[in-house]
Amino acid sequence: MDLGEQIRLLPERPGCYLYKDSSGRIIYVGKARNLKNRVRQYFQSSRNLTAKVLAMVSQIAEIEHIVTDTETEALVLESNLIKKHKPKYNIRLRDDKHYPYLRLTLTEQWPRLVVTRSMKKDGSRYFGPFTSSQAMWETMKLARRLFPLRTCNDPSRHPRACLQYHIGRCLGPCLPDFDRHAAYADAVRDLQAFLEGRTQEVVARIRARMDQAAENLEFERAAELRDQMRAIEKVTEKQKIIGHEMEDLDAIAYARLYDEACVQVFFVRQGKLVGRDQFIMAGADEMEGGEILAAFIQQHYAQTDFVPREILVSEEVPEAGVLVEWLSSKRGARVVLRRPQRGEKRALVEMVSQNAQEAMAERRQQRELELAATEGALMELQQALGLPRLPHRIECFDISHVQGSEVVASMVVFEGGRPKKEDYRRFKMKVDQNNDFANMAEAVTRRFRRGLAERAARVEGRVKDLAEGRVAEEGVEYGEKFAEFPDLLIIDGGRGQLAYARAAMRELGVDHIPTFGLAKEEELLCAEDRPDWIELPRGSQGLFLLQRIRDEAHRFAITYHRKLHRKATTRSRLDDVPGIGPKRKKALLQHFGSLKAIRAASVEEVAAVPGLNRELAERVKEALGGASQ
């Protein structure tokens, strides 16, 4: 079905539309009040379309749509789809899934504060996201010092008080005679208010409890509360007063650099500036300022638990009514979204904008320094190694094993002097052997054999088949994972590893790729056709880049090796018994304590373990070689 027919069949209802390219990848997600009218605008006169939109339209091969009941539902769906698919032409929060949160587990009997990387609708209270891990840990440290909640995973497993209890950092709900339920509930409520910025409310409650303790002649308790109150007041004193009204608001502004935008958010709680954060939006080129802010608001507040009563922005936001309706439903009360024109709030937004511009200026300067250093390093390598062109893509191989067991190889990729982690690959050797030369040859052979197969499939025009995993060779499904070949290949090791790698490459016909060995201790390079060792100047950017690549290959290899080795060492003879999975294995070991005890037990005793029967018990006894009676 051609695009014209697909557009004709679109409904005139709210929803989301998804543009796909010829390989089926989603390249753009949008929302609309009227799907047919909105999509049709992309395919009318191109005079009003930007270069970015024209490039996108030229790649559209298929249009998919999802109908919703309201435009607000379409907005929420659009946000979720962008986060899931990360389309090429959508503006989006960069690496938002990695931002940490603080989670207050309100649904647990004894709530605690923990760090998490994702939000769930589980009844907990989430604070964040924090773009700075340091800021998050400082907040966690302060919260644990001021509010004595438990830090252990399961207090029922600790019949004795731990160190946190003895130093006054936990009330001790694990103790059998714990009777401070009200005090624990107060600490939870105060911590939640503190993290929400309602510090004056917390101080007032602690002051009331302190006065009550003094009246009851509980002077030690009153002193503890006094110290807690003073600590909170000391934190509050550092917070800048923005306005005299007791209000909660977020102020948002942005600065642009090339295809990125730096968005700054200042958090004001009860009239005081309690913190700020900044986020990078990718794909912001050719976007209007209001569109950047609208996309940020939509994606940021979709992953935060708290929405303030008022949100201030530096520019007018398109479709503000839909955003306000969605934000209000999320908050459970009316939310105001506006661009202030005068007064204290206008000054606040200008301050946020200035901070965003300064942050982006620092980012630009940092990027220029990194670019200069990277280009210098690549030029040094090209000159020192006699390469025909600048080594934009560099691959490095390393081998890891312990006396020939669990042998693995790693392949790391750097492009433009930066790690390209999505192209990293690792190989488990088909035969464990204490022979680094043969292992290196196998890894290089498997890498380029798959790459050549993918290139052949690409030439034959089977890109879609590759993407869907329908093209296979030697029983292995191929995609576009190995088709890109390096400008420079580094083998971690000396002349022996290099010779075996080059022999494998000649056999496959890819020996034209410049390949060098890098000795681990001497930091010297060797080439197949050069008898002398190549020494890069100490402290040079080229040597530093090679060291980074080699160290990354070693890290990636040894991490995989340790994972396999740990898995192998934790295996037991029970893992080879048909019908005995992880749960039944755990039940057996918990019941008997060891394999020796299982071996000594009778079939009837083994069959009595929950989840087992006589047939499984006989298999266990046979595998362990113990008495069967």
Side-chain angles (χ1 to χ4, degrees), residues 36 105 136 212 234 347 464 484 507:
K36 177 176 287 188
T105 59
M136 184 271 296
Q212 184 63 46
K234 187 176 181 179
K464 189 170 183 179
E484 194 72 25
E507 186 175 340

Side-chain angles (χ1 to χ4, degrees), residues 250-397:
D250 288 352
I252 306 174
Y254 77 98
R256 191 201 305 267
L257 174 65
Y258 308 128
D259 62 338
E260 293 182 339
C262 174
V263 180
Q264 288 254 351
V265 187
F266 277 33
F267 308 105
V268 177
R269 301 295 180 262
Q270 296 186 330
K272 292 186 177 181
L273 179 62
V274 300
R276 71 170 184 175
D277 225 332
Q278 73 177 34
F279 303 82
I280 299 298
M281 302 288 290
D285 51 323
E286 299 186 3
M287 300 284 289
E288 298 292 336
E291 293 177 308
I292 294 173
L293 293 174
F296 172 78
I297 290 172
Q298 177 183 348
Q299 296 178 50
H300 173 67
Y301 290 104
Q303 61 186 30
T304 58
D305 200 32
F306 177 75
V307 179
R309 187 185 66 83
E310 187 173 11
I311 299 174
L312 307 179
V313 292
S314 57
E315 296 187 23
E316 295 293 342
V317 174
E319 300 181 341
V322 180
L323 284 172
V324 167
E325 183 180 349
W326 169 64
L327 291 168
S328 299
S329 65
K330 187 175 178 67
R331 174 180 167 82
R334 179 67 177 172
V335 174
V336 177
L337 176 65
R338 66 190 183 95
R339 177 189 182 190
Q341 301 296 322
R342 62 183 66 85
E344 292 179 340
K345 293 181 178 179
R346 175 62 183 174
L348 172 62
V349 171
E350 290 178 350
M351 181 172 65
V352 180
S353 181
Q354 291 172 5
N355 276 268
Q357 291 171 11
E358 290 178 5
M360 190 54 89
E362 293 177 3
R363 186 174 177 85
R364 178 175 60 249
Q365 185 178 14
Q366 183 66 28
R367 285 179 62 173
E368 289 174 351
L369 291 173
E370 291 177 355
L371 181 62
T374 299
E375 288 185 348
L378 297 178
M379 290 177 65
E380 283 182 12
L381 291 177
Q382 182 184 14
Q383 184 176 5
L385 304 180
L387 304 178
R389 60 174 179 270
L390 208 65
H392 174 69
R393 181 183 174 99
I394 304 175
E395 295 182 6
C396 182
F397 281 81

